[in-house]
Amino acid sequence: MPLHKGPGEPGADRRLALNPFYGLANPIGGMTDAPPHHRLPDGPLPPMSAYQLVHDELMLDGNSRLNLATFVTTWMEPQAGVLMAECRDKNMIDKDEYPRTAELERRCVAMLADLWNAPDPNTAVGCSTTGSSEACMLAGMALKRRWAQRNGDRYPGSARPNLVMGVNVQVCWEKFCNFWEVEARLVPMEGDRFHMDAQSAADLCDENTIGVVAVLGSTFDGSYEPVAEICAALDALRERTGLDIPVHVDGASGAMIAPFLDEDLVWDFRLPRVSSINTSGHKYGLVYPGVGWALWRSPAELPEELVFRVNYLGGDMPTFALNFSRPGAQVVAQYYTFLRLGREGYRAVQQTSRDIARGLAERIEAMGDFRLLTRGDQLPVFAFTTAPEITNFDVFDVSRRLREHGWLVPAYTFPADREDLSVLRVVCRNGFSADLADLFVDDLNRLLPELRAQQHPMNRDKSAATSFHH
């Protein structure tokens, strides 16, 4: 299936229909000049006409506030929106042109280094990215380059680097291994263990392992991987074999939850084996997409040869990113949110999301038709499936029927070795209020009698039915 339909596709010659009221002066003149879909119009449109055509088509998108599939922030304060509008024309890469925007980025890195207990937050290095996917690519590049430096006599000859991680990792890690020619060694799920365990991770490591990725908040079920146990298992491996394997913590979501709600959980730079951490500012960092962050324990963990120093617009500018030009608006919004909330504000927001997730999970369990896999007590996320005795409908039926009421709830099948398990997942974010949770439960209760009355689940291609892509 092509990524995008081209002009040769059926319906490509159809034109957009113009309402007579869209025209600025002649109410019918524009109707004969309706623009085509898949080629540039011959001439310009009035700005209001162009706006209304795009606006009307976008009304067919789902309501982002009712999207319980996405981790991405769907609500910010109006003041944050104003700041972002004021900065959308600023290019983050032009640090010499926009020194204050660059300074706000530097402050955010320092704040995160302090939040994640870096040995010396003043020397920890990091950068903003377009999201966790880019941040993970950067962290993986640093792991591979450090391994290559240690194994210069064997690489790139006979040695093939590998990266150990759970099968539950986000797809960006599979992309990294594919793009940078690294073998992905995946720990499969087993029974009721839906993420990587410490011993399985250590067992897959060898002299060609560039690192282990521990996920603080799996997107499949919201659970934390045991980072401290993984580090302890790798410490024991070093004692036995001399292999010294670094750990990267993919904290896309959990790195902005655990510091506020799970303060006794040791997962960050307090563990000497953790060399780098990433997070998504646009997830539980509470900023509109797209902004992510990548941090390293110290300059020693980020090879200097990966840092480019560019003479750009009159300034010597160090940069370590896959992207070059990108807007500064999201970085400014991240600093605004840090400044606006502080530790206590973040704690209140995240605790509310967790409370709503736990309460909603309990109410769904009480219906009797579903079995919980997780309860929203780590990430404010929980996964559930149909109870064993339910045979007349499945999770894909539930997802489809909820969509009729505007709710976007993903249904998907777990990876190896639990392909037999299909689940629904609910992500509770800031902006998903207790009132909205009540409405969700009301709609689910309203649908259940009809689902129970089915003779059997809808016959459909389960791979097409799933809406889980992130």
Side-chain angles (χ1 to χ4, degrees), residues 367 369-370 384 390 392-409 424 438-454:
M367 294 175 183
D369 298 81
F370 303 104
F384 60 102
I390 300 297
N392 45 342
F393 66 90
D394 59 19
V395 296
F396 301 100
D397 293 331
V398 177
S399 177
R400 173 180 53 83
R401 293 303 308 277
L402 284 171
R403 186 178 286 266
E404 294 172 6
H405 290 258
W407 300 103
L408 307 179
V409 180
L424 295 150
D438 289 342
L439 293 174
F440 177 78
V441 170
D442 290 345
D443 283 339
L444 185 54
N445 273 319
R446 194 173 293 115
L447 295 173
L448 279 176
E450 299 174 23
L451 291 169
R452 291 165 182 157
Q454 291 183 183

Side-chain angles (χ1 to χ4, degrees), residues 156-365:
S158 59
R160 186 188 179 195
N162 65 72
L163 183 65
V164 174
M165 50 197 168
V167 72
N168 57 299
V169 291
Q170 213 268 356
V171 69
C172 67
W173 287 107
E174 299 176 43
K175 289 182 179 180
F176 166 76
C177 289
N178 186 6
F179 296 166
W180 274 270
E181 298 182 326
V182 173
E183 175 193 356
R185 293 191 174 179
L186 301 175
V187 175
M189 295 180 178
E190 181 180 358
D192 290 332
R193 176 180 59 76
F194 303 122
H195 57 228
M196 182 172 65
D197 67 294
Q199 193 55 53
S200 296
D203 290 344
L204 287 179
C205 293
D206 59 23
E207 67 276 7
N208 295 327
T209 301
I210 65 174
V212 173
V213 176
V215 179
L216 194 72
S218 171
T219 58
F220 278 90
D221 64 354
S223 62
Y224 295 161
E225 289 188 334
V227 181
E229 293 178 20
I230 291 169
C231 289
L234 295 175
D235 289 342
L237 179 68
R238 181 182 181 183
E239 291 297 319
R240 294 194 311 271
T241 66
L243 295 175
D244 192 9
I245 310 295
V247 168
H248 171 79
V249 177
D250 184 348
S253 294
M256 294 305 295
I257 295 288
F260 306 110
L261 303 186
D262 307 299
E263 294 180 80
D264 294 333
L265 181 68
V266 179
W267 63 273
D268 52 18
F269 289 127
R270 286 171 289 183
L271 298 167
R273 194 162 293 280
V274 172
S275 65
S276 52
I277 301 171
N278 72 275
T279 198
S280 291
H282 61 223
K283 292 180 180 174
Y284 288 102
L286 308 181
V287 174
Y288 287 138
V291 61
W293 300 92
L295 269 71
W296 288 263
R297 166 185 295 276
S298 71
E301 277 74 29
L302 179 59
E304 175 65 24
E305 63 201 68
L306 293 178
V307 180
F308 287 82
R309 300 191 178 278
V310 182
N311 184 356
Y312 190 69
L313 297 179
D316 179 64
M317 178 195 63
T319 178
F320 179 47
L322 299 181
N323 291 301
F324 201 68
S325 295
R326 57 188 173 88
Q330 284 81 2
V331 169
V332 171
Q334 184 74 84
Y335 182 71
Y336 165 86
T337 307
F338 285 167
L339 197 66
R340 168 78 173 89
L341 292 179
R343 285 181 180 256
E344 289 306 314
Y346 263 97
R347 183 173 292 111
V349 170
Q350 314 298 39
Q351 186 65 60
T352 297
S353 293
R354 180 179 282 181
D355 290 346
I356 290 173
R358 293 175 66 177
L360 186 55
E362 290 172 2
R363 294 164 73 181
I364 289 174
E365 183 179 41

